[in-house]
Amino acid sequence: MRPITNRLLGRWSLWMSLLFLLVCMVGILIWLAGRYEVSQVQTQVAQDASDAVADIRIGLTRNVQNLQALQFTGPASVAWEQEAGILLREHREWLRLEWRDTRMQLQSEVDSPFRNPVFRHMGTSFQMPEVVQACSVAQRQSGPGYSTSTYVPQANGQGLEVMNLCLPVLNNGELIGFTVATYALQEILANFINTNLLRNQEISFTEADGTRLAMHGAVERSERTFSAKQLLTLPGNTMVLRLDSWRVPPNLFPNILTALVTLMAFALAGVMGLLARDMRRRQRVEVDLAEALAFRKAMEDSLVTGLRARDGQGRITYVNPAFCEMLGFTAKELLGHGIPAPYWPPEMVDEYGKRQALRLAGNAPPREGVESVFMRKNGDRFAVLIFEAPLINAKGQQAGWMSAVLDISEQRRIEELSRASQERLQATARLATVGEMASLLSHELNQPLAAIASYATGSVNLLHGTTLADPQLISSLQEAMQRIGQQAERAGKVIKSVHDFVRRRDQSRVDVSPRTLLDNVMPLVALQARKLGVRVELRCATDLPHVMCDRTMVEQVLLNLSRNAMQAMQDESPHKLLTLWVRLGAPTNGQQWLEFVVSDQGHGIAEELAEKLFTPFFTTKEEGMGLGLSLCRTVVEQHGGVLQHRPNQPRGTVFSFTLPQA
Ligand code: ADP
């Protein structure tokens, strides 16, 4: 159990680390995707900022050109003021245009028509230093010069940041004055920058420390702000342009890429879940399989039947412990071994080889098994019973043969023993019969011997004092001699029949007519019948088929049954009739049977005795051995027949047995 727990633990830790890695990977991917999106937006904002700077620069340059055009109208004239008025209407970014002489004295001025003059409240003098600074730059560079920005407070409490542009006015290469334009920084942002840029963005001019000077945009605000700064370098002034962009609040899935990655991660997690479920099922199956295997192993190990599997080429692929034990080989010695197998007795190799070839050709063996002889490792031969069945693999194809092998040597030994003891028993029973007959014999022999003696005495008397010429005498003597011969022959026959019965032991089954069997036992039956005063009747048609049997044994059965029948009638029976009868029996499975019937009119068999009749040594007679009927049944059953008995009518018993037709 311990290794399984360890394996499970190992597998779980693997799964946990896989899950951990997956979560990490998904987290990093989402983070990276977010980062990527941020950097994209940041780049876009930086790009927008630099576009804005470019827009401002273009606007400023165009304005410088417009101012230069104004200079052609000549300074400080009504025409200038008109021109300047037109320009101011076209350019909202300008708050005011001035014309100053070389000493910076104001010659002409025009304010923007769009708002109240900005300097009405403060005058322009407070920003003179900046104007002077711009103009000195302009003079130095013979081009536009810009001042730093200044804050101009307004009457309504608010204020605005302004910046001055100074453009030198030359006449024939000689400086005659300056055109000064005052820019509102906020208007620069509003008018110069492409409106598309300002969607969702706020643009502003800031100082180096971040203080906002002017701004534009700022539609909405949110937590996520992207900022980009760009320097706007002008002659005489450098400003910082800052672009702030607001995006929607940060999402879990900021964009398609992240969403895709997340989706894939979920799919991955789903697949992992399915895999885990599959794994769990496999684990369950694994455990079941392990249990089934353990069960199978325990079963195989406890079996006393030898098991052996062979592949299509006859090589041994599996043996169980019982098979190895039976043969004395180890499994290692047997596995992989082909033909001839190490347990084939060398003298049988040819025959077994043929049988094996038949089997490999696909011929199925008989279901009841095949008897064979195997050889143990020590060379001992022993009988086995082999049951073989095709070995079908998981694909349903035959991969070889599976055999169950039974060691039947012990069974054979017991059978042999019982056969021997049976034979001894039979011999004993026969001798007992002979013993019984001895008295009958002496009685039977007495008659012919007495007759012989009296004929001999008579003959001697006849010979006394007579001549041999008397023809009467000669014929009498001849007759007496013939009688003596007949009687001697009769006595000889009686002795021979007993001798035959005792001596003859021919075990083989022979084809014999039922009549012959009856005739053979008749002299012995007649012996007893005469003594007991029993009449014997034989009924046997001449055209009955022959039977196949062990003659001696069947005769013994007939004799035993006849003897029992006559003994049953011995006492008070009014009619002492013994009938020996042979007739055709009912056929079974195509086999024809002959029925031998022995009936008497004796005292019959009481019901309580009926079941004990065939038990060896059961007898009701004083001098009986109780072996007769048990022997009879054994003999009949050995021939495949049955021995039965039933009451006779009006009294007595009928014993009958069947024998197969030859
Ligand atoms: P045994 O003749 O030595 O007694 P058996 O085995 O031949 O032994 O018979 C067993 C018993 O069966 C007999 O003792 C007898 O009681 C009974 N038996 C056998 N045959 C007959 C028969 N024809 N009629 C009545 N009883 C019988």
Side-chain angles (χ1 to χ4, degrees):
M1 217 49 220
R2 198 172 173 75
I4 288 185
T5 323
N6 282 347
R7 232 180 13 245
L8 282 180
L9 261 177
R11 201 171 283 158
W12 269 112
S13 60
L14 265 181
W15 275 105
M16 290 324 286
S17 35
L18 184 59
L19 195 74
F20 174 74
L21 285 177
L22 195 76
V23 168
C24 286
M25 196 192 79
V26 170
I28 289 173
L29 271 177
I30 294 177
W31 181 71
L32 278 179
R35 276 278 304 256
Y36 176 73
E37 192 215 4
V38 167
S39 80
Q40 286 283 87
V41 174
Q42 189 60 53
T43 313
Q44 186 60 46
V45 171
Q47 181 63 42
D48 285 353
S50 81
D51 284 354
V53 167
D55 284 351
I56 292 172
R57 214 181 276 284
I58 289 168
L60 290 177
T61 311
R62 209 172 38 234
N63 278 6
V64 167
Q65 285 162 359
N66 287 332
L67 281 185
Q68 276 166 346
L70 179 68
Q71 289 172 353
F72 293 117
T73 54
S77 59
V78 178
W80 185 91
E81 280 179 12
Q82 274 173 356
E83 250 340 279
I86 292 167
L87 275 180
L88 280 172
R89 251 191 296 280
E90 287 169 0
H91 295 274
R92 276 174 160 272
E93 64 273 15
W94 280 330
L95 298 175
R96 174 187 164 91
L97 290 175
E98 291 173 355
W99 164 255
R100 289 181 187 265
D101 62 13
T102 48
R103 281 170 296 129
M104 298 307 288
Q105 293 306 308
L106 183 66
Q107 299 297 320
S108 252
E109 56 179 323
V110 182
D111 278 300
S112 169
F114 298 114
R115 55 170 88 217
N116 292 330
V118 281
F119 296 111
R120 182 185 294 158
H121 181 59
M122 295 277 292
T124 55
S125 54
F126 78 94
Q127 60 152 3
M128 267 321 283
E130 278 82 13
V131 174
V132 171
Q133 173 223 338
C135 287
S136 69
V137 172
Q139 194 177 355
R140 242 190 343 266
Q141 299 197 346
S142 305
Y146 292 89
S147 74
T148 52
S149 65
T150 34
Y151 181 74
V152 186
Q154 293 296 292
N156 55 9
Q158 292 180 332
L160 69 162
E161 197 76 20
V162 301
M163 174 183 79
N164 293 299
L165 156 68
C166 187
L167 202 64
V169 183
L170 300 174
N171 192 3
N172 295 328
E174 193 185 328
L175 180 74
I176 55 167
F178 298 98
T179 311
V180 177
T182 307
Y183 276 106
L185 287 186
Q186 194 179 358
E187 294 299 326
I188 291 179
L189 296 175
N191 292 302
F192 286 169
I193 296 170
N194 189 344
T195 45
N196 280 342
L197 261 181
L198 297 175
R199 202 174 294 148
N200 284 344
Q201 312 203 82
E202 182 192 84
I203 194 147
S204 55
F205 283 118
T206 63
E207 280 178 6
D209 63 359
T211 316
R212 270 212 185 76
L213 300 174
M215 64 179 181
H216 184 74
V219 182
E220 59 179 294
R221 294 194 174 250
S222 72
E223 291 150 38
R224 267 212 321 171
T225 311
F226 295 90
S227 293
K229 285 179 184 164
Q230 280 282 333
L231 283 181
L232 174 64
T233 316
L234 301 168
N237 186 13
T238 298
M239 280 184 296
V240 178
L241 186 83
R242 172 174 161 165
L243 189 73
D244 289 312
S245 176
W246 285 280
R247 298 286 146 138
V248 280
N251 286 332
L252 189 56
F253 313 118
N255 60 10
I256 293 183
L257 177 69
T258 322
L260 216 67
V261 166
T262 315
L263 206 76
M264 273 165 61
F266 276 122
L268 209 64
V271 168
M272 235 177 82
L274 285 178
L275 262 176
R277 205 179 61 174
D278 183 62
M279 191 66 103
R280 251 203 325 277
R281 276 197 198 143
R282 269 162 190 276
Q283 266 169 21
R284 244 197 327 263
V285 172
E286 217 171 78
V287 170
D288 287 353
L289 213 65
E291 269 171 19
L293 262 179
F295 176 72
R296 207 191 83 167
K297 176 113 187 52
M299 209 169 66
E300 283 167 359
D301 291 353
S302 68
L303 266 186
V304 288
T305 312
L307 292 179
R308 164 195 72 180
R310 287 184 296 182
D311 65 10
Q313 282 73 49
R315 272 191 303 269
I316 300 174
T317 53
Y318 166 79
V319 287
N320 75 339
F323 188 73
C324 297
E325 204 176 309
M326 199 183 288
L327 293 167
F329 285 101
T330 61
K332 218 168 155 192
E333 286 169 313
L334 292 173
L335 288 177
H337 217 294
I339 303 169
Y343 46 80
W344 286 5
E347 67 277 10
M348 308 290 260
V349 165
D350 283 349
E351 189 193 326
Y352 287 8
K354 278 183 208 146
R355 197 167 70 191
Q356 180 90 319
L358 266 178
R359 194 76 68 251
L360 295 184
N363 289 34
R367 278 197 73 79
E368 64 273 15
V370 181
E371 275 200 42
S372 188
V373 174
F374 278 2
M375 185 178 73
R376 293 189 219 278
K377 198 177 181 183
N378 61 15
D380 287 355
R381 271 60 164 174
F382 67 107
V384 289
L385 187 60
I386 308 173
F387 299 92
E388 275 189 300
L391 192 66
I392 308 294
N393 65 13
K395 288 183 213 146
Q397 295 159 338
Q398 181 175 347
W401 291 92
M402 184 80 208
S403 325
V405 181
L406 280 175
D407 180 351
I408 53 170
S409 53
E410 184 61 14
Q411 195 181 326
R412 284 277 171 281
R413 201 177 63 79
I414 291 168
E415 273 173 20
E416 184 58 38
L417 269 180
S418 105
R419 202 182 53 77
S421 66
Q422 190 76 35
E423 255 175 33
R424 270 201 299 280
L425 208 62
Q426 284 169 6
T428 316
R430 245 188 348 264
L431 284 176
T433 318
V434 170
E436 224 174 86
M437 277 173 196
S439 66
L440 292 173
L441 257 183
S442 64
H443 170 75
E444 188 68 23
L445 286 177
N446 263 344
Q447 281 186 4
L449 290 177
I452 289 170
S454 65
Y455 283 124
T457 317
S459 303
V460 172
N461 290 343
L462 281 176
L463 285 173
H464 266 294
T466 50
T467 58
L468 283 171
D470 184 355
Q472 175 85 32
L473 177 71
I474 288 176
S475 80
S476 297
L477 276 177
Q478 271 174 345
E479 194 188 340
M481 289 302 163
Q482 270 169 8
R483 290 279 164 81
I484 290 174
Q486 278 170 6
Q487 291 300 327
E489 202 176 314
R490 184 177 153 207
K493 263 189 192 161
V494 171
I495 291 175
K496 186 169 180 292
S497 67
V498 176
H499 180 267
D500 275 359
F501 180 73
V502 180
R503 281 286 154 210
R504 182 149 46 85
R505 187 70 206 108
D506 180 8
Q507 277 206 330
S508 60
R509 300 197 175 172
V510 289
D511 181 332
V512 59
S513 79
R515 182 81 215 186
T516 317
L517 290 171
L518 293 184
D519 286 348
N520 282 338
V521 293
M522 265 327 281
L524 297 171
V525 172
L527 267 182
Q528 199 159 19
R530 211 166 307 143
K531 183 190 170 196
L532 298 174
V534 173
R535 194 157 58 83
V536 182
E537 189 184 301
L538 280 188
R539 278 200 252 162
C540 182
T542 45
D543 57 349
L544 280 176
H546 285 199
V547 288
M548 188 56 118
C549 66
D550 179 341
R551 243 174 90 176
T552 322
M553 296 314 296
V554 172
E555 285 170 10
Q556 169 94 46
V557 172
L558 280 170
L559 195 63
N560 274 350
L561 295 179
S562 307
R563 191 202 53 181
N564 278 349
M566 289 188 284
Q567 283 173 348
M569 293 187 289
Q570 179 168 345
D571 308 320
E572 71 280 9
S573 298
H575 307 285
K576 297 186 178 178
L577 174 65
L578 167 71
T579 314
L580 295 176
W581 186 13
V582 188
R583 59 182 178 187
L584 271 180
T588 50
N589 297 334
Q591 173 66 53
Q592 185 65 56
W593 299 89
L594 276 111
E595 191 181 18
F596 291 73
V597 184
V598 180
S599 70
D600 64 67
Q601 299 186 336
H603 52 67
I605 297 169
E607 228 170 86
E608 63 272 19
L609 298 185
E611 49 196 52
K612 295 190 230 158
L613 281 192
F614 298 98
T615 320
F617 305 111
F618 171 77
T619 181
T620 55
K621 301 166 196 164
E622 266 176 31
E623 75 291 7
M625 278 184 70
L627 285 172
L629 285 181
S630 89
L631 186 82
C632 290
R633 186 161 73 171
T634 316
V635 170
V636 171
E637 284 176 357
Q638 273 172 359
H639 284 80
V642 275
L643 173 65
Q644 291 167 322
H645 67 89
R646 59 176 190 275
N648 197 8
Q649 291 305 329
R651 53 176 284 145
T653 315
V654 179
F655 273 87
S656 67
F657 64 92
T658 51
L659 288 179
Q661 182 189 326

